[in-house]
Amino acid sequence: MFRTALRNVLAHKARLLMTVLAVMLGVAFVSGTLVFTNTISDAYQKSSAKGFDQVDVAVRPEHAEDEGDKLGKDPELTRPLLDKAAAAPGADSAIGVVTGFTAIADKDGKLIGGGFQSQGGNYWGEKDPRYPIRTGKAPSGKDEVALDARTAERAGYEVGDKIRISVDGPVLTPTVTAIFTTDDGNVAAGGSLALFDTATAQRLFHKSGTYDEIDVKAAPGTSQSALQANLDKVLPKDVASTTTGQELADDQAVQIEASMSGLKTGLLVFAGIALFVGTFIIANTFTMLVAQRTKELALLRAVGASRKQVTRSVLLEAFLVGTVAAVTGLLAGIGIGAGLRALMGTLDAAVPDGPLVITPGTVVTSFAVGILITMLAAWLPGRRAAKIPPVAAMSSVHAAATTKSLVLRNTLGALFAAAGTAVVLYATTMNGSDGQAPMGFGAVLLIIGVFILTPLLSRPLIAGAAPVLRFFGVSGKLARQNSVRNPRRTAATASALMIGLTLITGMTVMAGSLQKSIDKMATSALEADYVVSMANFNSLSPDVEKKLAEADGVTATSPMRNAPARIEGETEYLTGVNGSTIGALTDLKVDSGSFEVGDARVVVDDGTAKDHGWKAGSTFTVSYEDDRKEKLTVAGVYEGNEMISGIMVDTATLAPHETDPRDMQVLVKTDGGPSDATKDGLEKALGQNPAIKVQDKQDVSNDIAQMFTLMLNMLYGLLAMAVIVAVLGVINTLAMSVFERSQEIGMLRAIGLDRKGIKRMVRLESLVISLFGGVLGVGLGVFFGWAAGELLAGKMPTYELVLPWDRMAVFLLLAAVVGVLAALWPARRAARLNMLSAIKSE
């Protein structure tokens, strides 16, 4: 039986090629994902571990918990504490570390690194062991700065150049006095690092006289654990906590692994989709191969082969095919992993240097996936073939499906589809996240139900194409009849394409609807002409609002300030605003009371009011950062949204209680409304700061649109794998169908149908099957997009279903193109059949 299975594989190389490709693509996606994420994770871990080479023990402030009416205040690491750490037994030296956001502009005024990885810190003394200086001298004073070598090289800066930087708003123009090297993982990943002398860093990052961390280096012969024990003895336990450098490196490795797990999971989901689609192709292929060899298998049974041996023969073929697919898929996956890493470099998302990581787990997973998926998909056709009695198989009386089997299939499919639809509809009545799991379960049931019912659905839907096919004469009529001749095969072929288009359509509907609703929310809630914020969403200095208020043409400004407080034993964040102007800068619907902010009067969003049981006129006591208390009155309750919510308090009321006020945004109203000239004027007033974004409503909308477009393009790219696998399935089905109908095609040629007519027949058949799958996929995608939107509608009042008719038309056109392209080779092969040889074939 082994020799028989091997002979069959070698005898049908061309037919099994598409199956190998389908499995190979899925395996390549899985292995490529594992190689890519493991490589990136390993590079970051090694790079971060290097960053802790100069740290044997890190001293950090002990975290203080909020309690009662008081906000917990973390103790400060002061110079006396640093001196005490440096004098501890076993300590060689101690460094006070200060860090904060620092944006650096290149010579064209553009922000380096996008702002998210732009960091600043302090250079310790004249020679900081953490940052070896390549050229220049240590920075000293507010007008000097040191740059990391990668950033300097990327931006073309040298010692002596003046650069433009920003910490929290105001632009600084210090001189570069040093270029240093560093093992900082953030820099290795494409970020930037600017260093000031310690006093300047403390002032810029609002850490006057204090440090974020104290790094202690052990003396020769002292272990990290011994130094930690000594530090714990001399440092006050309620002020500082200690962690060894090894523990920091291990914790960082865990964090990196966790951050990569989301990306890995997402990519593996799409790999799973491709494999799921490929399963249909494999099952379809083996069903046709087994059907073509029915008499051969019957002969084996007649000469003594048992049912188990026949089944094992088919499974052995699947094992050989799966092994070949797994090997080629693993090799292709390694190439994909290397390519993705290189692609990140071209997209300015550089990663630390390091080798390509191919773990034993990746190899084992690739083989397990490739072989198991293939064998599972081939098991049912093999089992079905083994059950056919030899005599019945030789006379082909088994060929037609029995009425009982069709009734059973349709009944089962109807039950699954009905149950899935009911669960999805029920999930739409649930509250937000509570309905996600039921909706996902219902969607799976519905897709399975539709797949089972696809043979039944194929006849009426394909019949709808009959009027169009009549224009193609005999070829069109034959194509329609061939499409419905074997509904199960048509269903399996169309289902692969259906699944891909269901996901693509559903995500497109969701993304378009969300974009519309968030856009509507942003523009309807704001009366301000401009929203000013940091590029990396960090906080702004209050100086930014002062400069904007003094700019020409500005009629009103208000910060959106976050301030922690304790209310009813819970920590809440107050939103500090300019009470006299906020009403003119926003357009929020007031449910009760009035929109009046000033003195001890505040306005509260409806969600917060409901949580606390407040209404217009209610009073509550707030405990501020300085532990002072005040009774506030709810002047009004407004409808909050994702853009604006919370307890709005006048900044004049907040200011006496804040030690370091920070604004998240500044709203700006101008007398002339938004215009290019007005925007330029505001940017000039802020010193052409590369770290600050000045956006009007259209810019906000464009940002939202860009985010959703980027997300959709990524999803389209990932789902393209499933569509490619579906194309292979259509090619495979048509090629085998042509092989099975060789005699019939020969007869058609003999009675006058020319080669063009044969080609047209096969192409139209492919087109009909592909459009059938496309219609089902788009229909299901719209339904799932609507259902998912209903879950969001409860939390997002502005949610509005948007059906992207143009994109849905493109998806159907894509299905048609898939059908035409997939038919090229099978149609050519059918047209080239020798009619006499075909007529004689069995």
Side-chain angles (χ1 to χ4, degrees):
M1 296 305 292
F2 175 80
R3 288 196 298 271
T4 302
L6 184 61
R7 181 183 59 80
N8 284 325
V9 170
L10 296 176
H12 303 124
K13 292 187 292 288
R15 298 182 218 168
L16 290 171
L17 176 62
M18 297 302 172
T19 304
V20 171
L21 285 175
V23 183
M24 184 203 76
L25 285 173
V27 173
F29 209 155
V30 171
S31 58
T33 295
L34 295 175
V35 169
F36 172 65
T37 53
N38 288 338
T39 297
I40 300 300
S41 179
D42 181 72
Y44 273 116
Q45 287 176 16
K46 288 180 178 177
S47 178
S48 66
K50 286 182 181 178
F52 295 115
D53 285 347
Q54 298 297 323
V55 184
D56 286 318
V57 177
V59 181
R60 293 173 173 175
E62 187 67 45
H63 180 64
E65 299 289 342
D66 298 339
E67 187 176 348
D69 291 333
K70 294 186 176 182
L71 287 166
K73 295 182 180 64
D74 292 345
E76 296 178 333
L77 302 181
T78 60
R79 180 71 196 213
L81 197 71
L82 183 143
D83 293 337
K84 188 177 288 189
D92 183 61
S93 61
I95 293 175
V97 178
V98 184
T99 59
F101 168 73
T102 302
I104 305 172
D106 61 20
K107 290 187 175 180
D108 295 325
K110 294 181 180 179
L111 186 63
I112 296 174
F116 292 96
Q117 296 173 321
S118 303
Q119 293 296 315
N122 66 311
Y123 191 91
W124 188 256
E126 293 298 320
K127 189 175 183 181
D128 193 327
R130 299 172 299 169
Y131 308 113
I133 291 179
R134 180 182 290 178
T135 57
K137 65 179 183 64
S140 176
K142 64 178 183 178
D143 295 325
E144 294 185 358
V145 69
L147 281 187
D148 72 89
R150 292 195 181 203
T151 300
E153 183 178 351
R154 190 169 19 158
Y157 286 128
E158 297 177 352
V159 171
D161 290 345
K162 277 193 172 294
I163 64 171
R164 298 174 69 248
I165 64 174
S166 173
V167 172
D168 57 5
V171 175
L172 307 174
T173 56
T175 300
V176 178
T177 62
I179 293 175
F180 61 89
T181 59
T182 176
D183 290 324
D184 189 299
N186 185 59
V187 173
S192 61
L193 181 60
L195 300 179
F196 310 90
D197 68 74
T198 300
T200 302
Q202 287 174 327
R203 179 178 58 81
L204 290 175
F205 303 136
H206 306 274
K207 310 281 175 55
S208 181
T210 65
Y211 310 101
D212 294 302
E213 180 177 303
I214 296 173
D215 292 343
V216 185
K217 186 73 175 173
T222 303
S223 67
Q224 291 186 353
S225 57
L227 177 59
Q228 182 183 27
N230 292 337
L231 286 168
D232 287 339
K233 292 176 183 177
V234 301
L235 298 178
K237 290 184 172 56
D238 58 341
V239 174
S241 62
T242 59
T243 310
T244 65
Q246 186 58 53
E247 288 172 340
L248 289 174
D250 293 342
D251 290 344
Q252 186 78 2
V254 171
Q255 291 176 14
I256 292 170
E257 191 67 33
S259 65
M260 295 300 298
S261 66
L263 174 63
K264 183 184 293 186
T265 301
L267 292 174
L268 287 177
V269 165
F270 288 99
I273 292 169
L275 285 168
F276 184 60
V277 172
T279 302
F280 291 114
I281 298 171
I282 300 164
N284 207 20
T285 301
F286 275 92
T287 298
M288 288 185 285
L289 285 175
V290 168
Q292 291 171 10
R293 288 166 31 215
T294 298
K295 290 187 177 180
E296 175 188 326
L297 295 174
L299 184 61
L300 288 173
R301 290 287 313 283
V303 298
S306 65
R307 286 185 177 183
K308 288 183 179 180
Q309 285 179 308
V310 171
T311 304
R312 281 201 297 266
S313 174
V314 175
L315 289 178
L316 189 56
E317 288 182 51
F319 174 80
L320 296 173
V321 171
T323 302
V324 173
V327 171
T328 53
L330 175 61
L331 295 175
I334 293 170
I336 290 173
L340 285 174
R341 176 173 171 166
L343 180 63
M344 288 187 71
T346 63
L347 297 176
D348 290 330
V351 295
D353 296 330
L356 205 63
V357 177
I358 306 166
T359 64
T362 300
V363 177
V364 171
T365 301
S366 300
F367 276 88
V369 167
I371 294 171
L372 287 178
I373 289 292
T374 309
M375 292 184 71
L376 284 173
W379 175 74
L380 190 60
R383 184 171 176 270
R384 191 184 299 133
K387 281 186 173 182
I388 301 172
V391 176
M394 289 180 180
S395 59
S396 296
V397 298
H398 68 287
T402 64
T403 304
K404 180 180 177 181
S405 68
L406 292 175
V407 170
L408 179 63
R409 178 177 181 133
N410 293 338
T411 303
L412 189 63
L415 290 174
F416 268 97
T421 304
V423 173
V424 169
L425 292 176
Y426 172 70
T428 61
T429 65
M430 301 177 73
N431 184 24
S433 57
D434 294 339
Q436 291 179 3
M439 183 167 289
F441 178 66
V444 171
L445 288 179
L446 180 54
I447 288 177
I448 292 173
V450 171
F451 169 68
I452 297 173
L453 285 174
T454 308
L456 179 67
L457 297 172
S458 64
R459 290 185 179 276
L461 288 178
I462 291 177
V468 178
L469 293 174
R470 287 197 188 101
F471 286 106
F472 297 95
V474 175
S475 296
K477 183 178 180 180
L478 289 172
R480 184 181 65 81
Q481 292 174 346
N482 289 334
S483 300
V484 297
R485 176 187 296 181
N486 192 330
R488 290 185 176 181
R489 182 186 301 169
T490 298
T493 306
S495 293
L497 191 59
M498 175 193 79
I499 292 170
L501 287 182
T502 295
L503 295 169
I504 290 174
T505 305
M507 289 175 178
T508 303
V509 171
M510 276 290 297
S513 301
L514 277 172
Q515 179 180 322
K516 179 77 173 179
S517 60
I518 294 176
D519 184 20
K520 187 176 178 182
M521 182 189 300
T523 55
S524 64
L526 289 177
E527 283 294 318
D529 294 322
Y530 293 97
V531 178
V532 180
S533 62
M534 292 293 281
N536 69 331
F537 305 108
N538 266 19
S539 57
L540 290 160
S541 166
D543 291 341
V544 171
E545 191 213 355
K546 293 176 183 177
K547 289 187 177 182
L548 289 169
E550 295 169 356
D552 293 337
V554 173
T555 58
T557 62
S558 174
M560 299 292 284
R561 179 177 300 173
N562 276 3
R566 294 287 285 179
I567 301 173
E568 298 177 358
E570 298 290 335
T571 300
E572 297 270 3
Y573 278 87
L574 307 177
T575 302
V577 297
N578 186 330
S580 61
T581 61
I582 189 65
L585 293 166
T586 57
D587 184 20
L588 298 167
K589 183 180 178 183
V590 179
D591 291 338
S592 62
S594 61
F595 199 86
E596 182 182 349
V597 182
D599 296 326
R601 296 177 66 79
V602 302
V603 292
V604 183
D605 72 280
D606 48 1
T608 303
K610 183 178 179 181
D611 291 340
H612 289 280
W614 296 336
K615 57 184 179 181
S618 297
T619 61
F620 61 92
T621 301
V622 60
S623 180
Y624 296 109
E625 289 181 75
D626 60 357
D627 295 336
R628 292 167 63 185
K629 298 180 181 179
E630 185 175 9
K631 184 172 284 189
L632 301 178
T633 301
V634 178
V637 177
Y638 66 92
E639 285 188 7
N641 54 51
E642 297 294 325
M643 308 293 293
I644 300 177
S645 62
I647 304 170
M648 291 192 190
V649 184
D650 197 325
T651 50
T653 304
L654 275 179
H657 309 286
E658 294 182 293
T659 55
D660 185 23
R662 319 294 295 158
D663 299 335
M664 298 310 296
Q665 292 178 329
V666 178
L667 306 182
V668 181
K669 187 84 172 172
T670 59
D671 54 8
S675 67
D676 291 340
T678 303
K679 186 175 181 179
D680 289 342
L682 294 178
E683 290 176 343
K684 286 179 182 177
L686 295 173
Q688 298 289 356
N689 193 325
I692 295 181
K693 294 192 297 185
V694 179
Q695 297 180 297
D696 59 20
K697 292 181 181 181
Q698 188 59 50
D699 293 330
V700 174
S701 299
N702 291 342
D703 262 11
I704 296 169
Q706 185 178 15
M707 178 181 66
F708 280 106
T709 300
L710 178 63
M711 179 187 72
L712 269 182
N713 288 340
M714 289 176 61
L715 293 175
Y716 288 161
L718 293 168
L719 286 171
M721 184 70 71
V723 175
I724 292 172
V725 173
V727 172
L728 294 175
V730 178
I731 296 173
N732 216 13
T733 299
L734 289 173
M736 292 193 163
S737 177
V738 166
F739 177 82
E740 287 182 351
R741 303 201 315 259
S742 296
Q743 191 177 56
E744 174 187 320
I745 291 170
M747 290 294 295
L748 290 172
R749 290 289 315 283
I751 60 176
L753 190 63
D754 59 11
R755 289 186 173 180
K756 286 185 178 180
I758 294 293
K759 284 183 179 180
R760 191 181 302 118
M761 177 188 72
V762 176
R763 287 171 184 164
L764 289 173
E765 180 182 348
S766 175
L767 183 64
V768 167
I769 292 173
S770 297
L771 282 175
F772 169 53
V775 169
L776 285 180
V778 170
L780 281 174
V782 169
F783 176 70
F784 290 140
W786 165 82
E790 289 298 300
L791 277 182
L792 293 171
K795 288 190 173 183
M796 194 175 288
T798 57
Y799 184 82
E800 176 184 342
L801 180 67
V802 176
L803 293 181
W805 296 105
D806 53 343
R807 294 205 177 191
M808 289 193 290
V810 170
F811 296 155
L812 288 176
L813 180 62
L814 173 66
V817 171
V818 165
V820 172
L821 293 177
L824 291 178
W825 178 61
R828 185 168 177 269
R829 183 183 178 194
R832 295 180 65 182
L833 284 175
N834 183 288
M835 69 176 75
L836 294 179
S837 299
I839 291 172
K840 290 190 295 180
S841 66
E842 295 186 4

